Amino acid sequence: MDTIFAQATAPGKAGVAIVRLSGPKAWVAIETMCSGLPEPRVVGLRELHGRDGLLDTALVVVFEDGASFTGENVAELHLHGSSAVVSAILAELSSLDGLRHAEPGEFTRRALENGCLDLAQVEGLADLIDAETEAQRRQAIRVLSGELGEKAEGWRQGLIRAAALIEASIDFADEDVPVNVTPEVDDILRRVLNELECEIEGVGFSERVRTGFEVAIVGAPNVGKSTLLNALAGREAAITSEIAGTTRDVIEVRMDLGGLPVTILDTAGLRDTDDPVESIGVEKAQARAKSADLRIFLVDVDGSPAFEPIARDIVVASKADLIGESSEGVSGRTGQGLPKLIEMIQSRISELAGQSGIATRERHRFAMSSASGSLRDALVNLESGEVYELVAEDIRSAIRSLDSLIGRVDVEMLLDDIFLSFCIGK
């Protein structure tokens, strides 16, 4: 296997830059550049020399095979963070036999192949690198820590027990089996199925924490939607005008509200119009608003929502500054009622986020849904009491689906796409 190397920190000038190596020649390569390696997991100060003399004075740390991120011999060079120093080190490593530049995500891919991470943890690591809000960080840490893998392994062990009981009944069908295994198998299958279905229900909300919740501002033309969007964003994100129909496309502003990722949508004013372009905007606005996680209906003092809100939606009077300071409405122009509205949005979104589970991706949902479908089939066949072979095959199918969840089987086609999202040094 090749020894790979790459800069593990962002390119450009910095106080410190880290170059990482992994593979059978990682330690040997560093030894050729300095006078002796420090003990594993002990940082040592070393002068690094190349073909043309001193390259840098750096901190060197090595990790032994089986006790590193990749599961291989790993070495890290903590260098002075100038582009010139990093370039000189990388050029020196390139000149050594058996070393090559790492591909995107190759360090993490080796960690997966060497059993240091399961596939769900790899996805959690990718999410952690991309995390922009506190909620995203917490969720990614849960997945990276192996919670989903532990759950999947618990389900898997239960199903293996159930399969073993069924197989025993099949093998000794012509003999007197002292215990009826059906009640225990039924109990195991129902327990795992219930837990799977609970986790499946939370995937949509977990995915929203990862990608962002959508909050649509909905109302008639000139009700103050764009002004409110600008007030929430703290900048002129949307054009405001007294002319009805100014907003014709959906305008999006990404925000961090209470540690949760939220995209605020300013939609076209909802009204009947003969303008074909505006009518397209109205149709898009309605469709996007109805698919959003939360809607803020801006209405005139005596007005009503453009379409029926659901329980968690917010209906609020607009242009409160023209109504009076005692108004319960909101004004994007003066900020009146804005803190209360933001608090309401955060509360509603936090309730949705609280329904999230550990599984965070559509791939997870698909694997768990496949497993739950197999378990439902197994329960039907078990209740019939006639064909235990079908029960055994259904359980095996559920186990295979759980194996794909954490990357044991049938995931090769996914790996390239997953690892291309990583930076080179990860």
Side-chain angles (χ1 to χ4, degrees):
M1 178 179 286
D2 293 339
T3 296
I4 56 174
F5 66 89
Q7 182 176 352
T9 47
K13 185 170 69 174
V16 175
I18 298 175
V19 170
R20 175 181 291 162
L21 301 85
S22 180
K25 293 187 176 181
W27 291 15
V28 175
I30 302 305
E31 278 189 300
T32 64
M33 300 172 66
C34 66
S35 55
L37 296 176
E39 292 295 316
R41 296 175 172 270
V42 177
V43 177
L45 183 65
R46 298 290 188 273
E47 288 187 348
L48 302 178
H49 294 267
R51 294 159 295 177
D52 300 324
L54 180 64
L55 298 174
D56 193 23
T57 301
L59 295 176
V60 176
V61 60
V62 296
F63 303 88
E64 63 268 50
D65 181 352
S68 68
F69 173 69
T70 63
E72 305 170 339
N73 281 344
V74 168
E76 288 185 357
L77 306 176
H78 296 237
L79 310 165
H80 292 96
S82 75
S83 299
V85 169
V86 173
S87 295
I89 293 294
L90 294 179
E92 184 65 27
L93 293 174
S94 297
S95 70
L96 300 178
D97 290 336
L99 272 67
R100 65 170 174 81
H101 280 276
E103 297 174 356
E106 191 168 4
F107 288 92
T108 306
R109 185 162 189 158
R110 291 192 175 193
L112 174 68
E113 292 169 347
N114 292 326
C116 300
L117 297 174
D118 63 39
L119 186 58
Q121 287 177 293
V122 168
E123 291 166 326
L125 179 57
D127 291 343
L128 183 61
I129 292 171
D130 291 337
E132 297 176 340
T133 69
E134 177 62 15
Q136 289 173 326
R137 182 194 67 80
R138 289 197 305 268
Q139 178 172 275
I141 286 290
R142 289 180 68 192
V143 180
L144 177 58
S145 68
E147 277 192 49
L148 182 56
E150 290 173 6
K151 269 199 169 185
E153 185 60 27
W155 295 329
R156 185 175 183 274
Q157 291 302 319
L159 295 182
I160 288 173
R161 166 69 178 170
L165 291 171
I166 290 294
E167 295 286 356
S169 296
I170 295 171
D171 291 341
F172 298 100
D174 297 330
E175 302 178 22
D176 292 330
V177 180
V179 178
N180 179 10
V181 302
T182 300
E184 183 177 354
V185 171
D186 184 87
D187 182 66
I188 292 172
L189 299 187
R190 291 187 186 280
R191 175 180 58 80
V192 174
L193 179 60
N194 289 337
E195 292 181 12
L196 278 170
E197 290 181 341
C198 287
E199 196 61 46
I200 290 168
E201 287 179 5
V203 172
F205 299 108
S206 298
E207 197 165 22
R208 280 306 202 196
V209 172
R210 187 170 63 86
T211 62
F213 292 89
E214 288 192 346
V215 177
I217 305 175
V218 185
N222 278 345
V223 79
K225 299 185 300 299
S226 296
T227 303
L228 177 59
L229 175 75
N230 292 338
L232 290 170
R235 60 185 176 86
E236 294 295 318
I239 299 172
T240 58
S241 167
E242 297 298 325
I243 302 173
T246 299
T247 301
R248 299 197 173 192
D249 203 353
V250 177
I251 298 172
E252 303 181 7
V253 174
R254 183 87 166 181
M255 301 177 64
D256 180 340
L257 287 182
L260 290 165
V262 176
T263 299
I264 306 292
L265 309 176
D266 177 21
T267 61
L270 302 182
R271 67 170 181 173
D272 294 328
T273 176
D274 294 328
D275 185 330
V277 177
E278 186 182 352
S279 66
I280 293 172
V282 171
E283 289 176 7
K284 290 177 62 177
Q286 275 194 308
R288 191 69 182 274
K290 288 179 179 178
S291 68
D293 302 291
L294 175 68
R295 283 150 294 279
I296 303 170
F297 288 93
L298 279 185
V299 298
D300 294 324
V301 179
D302 299 320
S304 59
F307 55 88
E308 189 67 26
I310 62 175
R312 64 171 173 264
D313 289 339
I314 299 170
V315 181
V316 61
S318 64
K319 301 181 180 179
D321 55 308
L322 303 180
I323 304 172
E325 292 186 3
S326 61
S327 168
E328 289 296 317
V330 64
S331 170
R333 189 173 68 83
T334 66
Q336 181 180 333
L338 198 61
K340 183 177 180 180
L341 177 61
I342 292 174
E343 183 180 333
M344 292 172 68
I345 296 170
Q346 288 180 351
S347 174
R348 303 289 205 282
I349 295 299
S350 294
E351 288 176 8
L352 294 177
Q355 300 176 51
S356 63
I358 301 174
T360 59
R361 296 172 180 256
E362 183 59 31
R363 185 187 73 80
H364 302 164
R365 189 209 305 270
F366 180 82
M368 292 187 298
S369 296
S370 177
S372 66
S374 296
L375 293 183
R376 282 191 289 271
D377 291 342
L379 284 167
V380 170
N381 289 321
L382 186 67
E383 288 172 4
S384 72
E386 296 178 359
V387 190
Y388 272 14
E389 286 83 358
L390 292 179
V391 178
E393 180 54 36
D394 290 333
I395 295 174
R396 285 193 291 268
S397 178
I399 292 172
R400 286 194 294 270
S401 296
L402 294 178
D403 283 345
S404 71
L405 176 63
I406 56 177
R408 282 198 176 103
V409 295
D410 297 335
V411 293
E412 280 300 319
M413 67 187 71
L414 299 171
L415 296 184
D416 289 340
D417 287 341
I418 290 172
F419 290 116
L420 281 174
S421 69
F422 283 79
C423 54
I424 297 292
K426 197 65 180 175

